[in-house]
Amino acid sequence: MPSETVPPAGYFDDGLSISDPEVAAALNAEKLRQQDQIELIASENLVSRATLEALGSVITNKTVEGYPGRRYYGGAEHADRIENLAIERARRLFQCGYANVQPHSGSQANLAVYLATLQPGDTVLSMDLSSGGHLSHGSSANISGKWMNTVGYGLDPDTGRIDMGSVRRLALEHRPKLVIAGGSAYPLTIDFAAFRRIADEVDATLLVDMAHFAGLVAGGVHPSPIPHAHVVTATTYKNLRGARGGIILAGDAEYGKRFNRAVFPGVQGSVILNAVAAKAVCFREAMRPEFAEYASRVLENARALAAALNARNLDVVGGGTDTPIVLLDLRDLDLTGAAASDALEAAGLTANKNGVPGDTQPPTITSGLRFGSSAGTARGFRTAQFERIGHMIADVLEDMSGSTDRTEALRAEVGEMCRDHPIYW
Ligand SMILES: *Cc1c(COP(=O)(O)O)cnc(C)c1O
C-alpha cells in the first residue's frame, strides 16, 4: 500500500454524505421525520444546534479516566476544563454541593447509586413498574432487580397519587436500605419531604430520580428534590433538553463524594467527553431566563393537553399533570396502547404505549398512552397547539376505524403545524 492511503484521501475533511452516503441518508431521513411529525414521546426533546456541535466535536478523541485534576492519562487539561465547567454549572443550576456529570445514561447513574448504598440482597423500596416506575429501579429483568430485593409501592386507585400510607407501611415492614421516589410515567408532584421522613424512620437512603422533571426544576416551576433527598439522579436529554446522558447530584458536597468512586471505577470506565461537553452546554442554556420561560411553557402546554383530553371525556390518570407527562388510560375505550399508538403515528403524532395503574395487559401491549410536552414546546408550540393536539388525539381514539381520508387530513394538519414551527433549518 502506498503511504498516501493513510490517512485516506478526505479522511479529515470529507463530510458524511461523501464518505458514507448510506448512513448519511438514514440520518437525513431521521431529520426530516423529526421536522415533519409532532413528537409527543415524553423521553425525547430537541437539542440546540450548539449541543449538536459539542456532541460532534474532536473531544471525542480524548480518553480520560477518573476526575479533573486526578486523571490516569496525560493531555487532559482541556478535558478537565470541560468537565469542571459541567460540574460547576450543574451545581449552580440545581443549587447543590455535589454533581457527577459522567454517567453515560440515567440507568448508569442509578446503578452507581445502588453500588454506593447497597450490598447484593439488600432491599429497595421503589414505585412499581406498572404504576410508572423505571426498569432501573428494580425490574426483575434489570440488574437492579436481579441483585437486590425490590418491594414496589403503587398508586391510590381513586386519586392516581402515590399512596404515602402504603409507602410508609411497606417501609416499616420491609426495612429497605434505599427508598426511590420518581418514575417514568408519574405525572404528579411527589411529596419529597414525606418520602424523606419515611426514609429517616427506617434509616434508609432516599434517592429521587427526577429524569422526567429535571428541566422544570431547573426552570423553577417544580419543587426541587435537592433539599429533601440524600441523592438525586436525572437524565439530561428528556425535559432538561440536552444531550443524552445522566447526572448524579447531592445537596451535601461531602456526602456526595461517595458517588464518584461508584461511577468510576465502580460501574463505568472512561468518560464520554463529547457528552460531558454537551451537558455543560445544556446546563448553561438552562440557567438563562429563556429556559425558565421554556419550562413554564412545558408545564402550561402539558396542562392544556390534559385539559383537552379531559374535555373529550378521556381518562387522564391523576386527572391532570404537574410535569411534562400526560398519561391516558384507554380501558374505558376498550383500546390497547399498542393499537392506539400505531393509529396516532399514522396521523403524524408520535407517542408511546404505556402501562397504567392496575394494567393487566403485558408491557408490549398495555392499556395506556404516555404523552410529553417537552419536544413540542421546544419547537415553539403554545397552549393553542397543544389543545388542538389533544382534540386530534381524541378524534383518532374515538374512531379507530377512521377512514384514510380522516388520517390524511390529520397528517396534513400536523405537517402544517410543523412547517409553522420549523427545526434545524
Ligand atoms: C428515562 C429514565 C431513566 C433512564 O434513562 P436511560 O438514559 O434510558 O438509561 C431513569 N429513570 C427514570 C425515572 C427515567 O424516566
Side-chain angles (χ1 to χ4, degrees), residues 26 39 55 82 86 115 119 160 165 188 204 214 249 263 322 351 377 382 409:
E39 187 55 74
L55 276 175
I82 287 166
L115 182 67
Q119 294 291 325
L188 303 175
L249 308 169
V263 172
D322 304 318
T377 305
R382 309 289 305 261

Side-chain angles (χ1 to χ4, degrees), residues 236-283:
T236 44
Y237 60 89
K238 291 175 183 166
N239 178 238
L240 202 47
R241 211 183 57 184
R244 311 198 69 74
I247 42 171
I248 303 176
L249 308 169
D252 181 345
E254 204 37 51
Y255 176 84
K257 276 186 190 160
R258 71 194 64 200
F259 301 108
N260 281 349
R261 274 190 314 277
V263 172
F264 174 85
V267 301
Q268 290 187 175
S270 58
V271 184
I272 304 180
L273 282 166
N274 53 327
V276 170
K279 286 173 193 173
V281 171
C282 155
F283 300 148

Side-chain angles (χ1 to χ4, degrees), residues 326-380:
V326 177
L327 189 63
L328 200 55
D329 187 331
L330 301 169
R331 285 175 293 195
D332 288 352
L333 299 170
D334 239 349
L335 281 179
T336 66
S341 61
D342 285 349
L344 289 175
E345 188 165 352
L349 299 161
T350 311
N352 62 279
K353 58 182 179 245
N354 210 99
V356 288
D359 209 332
T360 51
Q361 295 281 6
T364 47
I365 307 289
T366 77
S367 304
L369 284 169
R370 186 185 67 164
F371 305 107
S373 60
S374 297
T377 305
R379 74 187 296 161

Side-chain angles (χ1 to χ4, degrees), residues 76-296:
E77 177 191 350
H78 309 298
D80 283 7
R81 181 143 57 108
I82 287 166
E83 187 169 346
N84 278 328
L85 274 172
I87 292 169
E88 283 158 23
R89 289 173 180 180
R91 284 175 22 196
R92 244 192 312 148
L93 180 62
F94 291 107
Q95 295 168 37
C96 58
Y98 170 82
N100 189 309
V101 297
Q102 292 189 6
H104 300 338
S105 73
S107 300
Q108 293 293 98
N110 288 336
L111 187 59
V113 172
Y114 269 60
L115 182 67
T117 59
L118 302 166
Q119 294 291 325
D122 279 350
T123 296
V124 176
L125 178 60
S126 63
M127 185 185 272
D128 282 330
L129 208 54
S130 65
S131 303
H134 188 261
L135 281 169
S136 63
H137 298 179
S139 149
S140 59
N142 184 265
I143 187 170
S144 57
K146 286 186 190 293
W147 289 10
M148 311 296 162
N149 172 40
T150 309
V151 177
Y153 59 83
L155 307 180
D156 178 330
D158 295 330
T159 61
R161 293 198 163 271
I162 296 172
D163 181 349
M164 292 309 295
S166 91
V167 174
R168 179 161 182 271
R169 271 193 305 282
L170 290 168
L172 293 173
E173 184 185 341
H174 297 280
R175 314 295 297 188
K177 286 262 169 48
L178 179 69
V179 175
I180 308 180
S184 293
Y186 186 68
L188 303 175
T189 305
I190 295 168
D191 187 345
F192 305 127
F195 265 101
R196 179 58 185 259
R197 282 195 295 276
I198 292 167
D200 283 347
E201 223 179 323
V202 297
D203 243 342
T205 302
L206 175 62
L207 162 64
V208 173
D209 181 343
M210 63 171 181
H212 275 282
F213 54 90
L216 298 192
V217 171
V221 294
H222 191 284
S224 171
I226 299 283
H228 305 285
H230 294 96
V231 53
V232 173
T233 54
T235 55
T236 44
Y237 60 89
K238 291 175 183 166
N239 178 238
L240 202 47
R241 211 183 57 184
R244 311 198 69 74
I247 42 171
I248 303 176
L249 308 169
D252 181 345
E254 204 37 51
Y255 176 84
K257 276 186 190 160
R258 71 194 64 200
F259 301 108
N260 281 349
R261 274 190 314 277
V263 172
F264 174 85
V267 301
Q268 290 187 175
S270 58
V271 184
I272 304 180
L273 282 166
N274 53 327
V276 170
K279 286 173 193 173
V281 171
C282 155
F283 300 148
R284 182 164 186 278
E285 287 173 359
M287 276 186 273
R288 300 162 88 121
E290 298 91 309
F291 191 87
E293 178 67 25
Y294 167 71
S296 91

